[in-house]
Amino acid sequence: RQVPNRFGTFGVTAVAAGGTVFSRVVTHWTSCLSYGAIDRSGQVEAYLTFDHRVMDGAAAVRAFQALAAALE
């Protein structure tokens, strides 16, 4: 019943303090960004999970590339 209220939403989750990262997140959001801790060289592992029924894969790739460019 809540699905129509959740489409178009996104989430960000991190468990970096625990020294790990979620590579797959099962969520009710349309998309979710998860990331781990920043290592000594300044690198961070990040994952974008999205619902392909709602969002095209090409749009997800462009969003992830834009995030990477902004962080660099």
Side-chain angles (χ1 to χ4, degrees), residues 10 14 19-20 24-26 35-37 48 51 54 56-58 65-66 71:
F10 67 94
T20 189
R24 291 187 203 159
V25 179
V26 178
Y35 61 93
L48 178 64
D51 187 340
V54 179
D56 183 51
Q65 288 172 335
L71 292 173

Side-chain angles (χ1 to χ4, degrees), residues 3 5-6 8-9 11 13 17-18 23-24 26 29 32 51 54-55 57 59-61 65 70:
V3 171
N5 296 330
R6 303 286 187 229
T9 60
T13 185
S23 61
R24 291 187 203 159
V26 178
W29 298 312
C32 183
D51 187 340
V54 179
M55 185 178 200
V61 168
Q65 288 172 335

Side-chain angles (χ1 to χ4, degrees), residues 2-71:
Q2 288 297 316
V3 171
N5 296 330
R6 303 286 187 229
F7 275 10
T9 60
F10 67 94
V12 177
T13 185
V15 289
T20 189
V21 63
F22 292 133
S23 61
R24 291 187 203 159
V25 179
V26 178
T27 178
H28 58 273
W29 298 312
T30 301
S31 58
C32 183
L33 175 71
S34 59
Y35 61 93
I38 300 171
D39 67 18
R40 295 182 193 272
S41 67
Q43 300 286 318
V44 64
E45 198 171 336
Y47 294 90
L48 178 64
T49 304
F50 64 96
D51 187 340
H52 213 305
R53 297 170 298 175
V54 179
M55 185 178 200
D56 183 51
V61 168
R62 285 192 302 271
F64 207 60
Q65 288 172 335
L67 174 63
L71 292 173

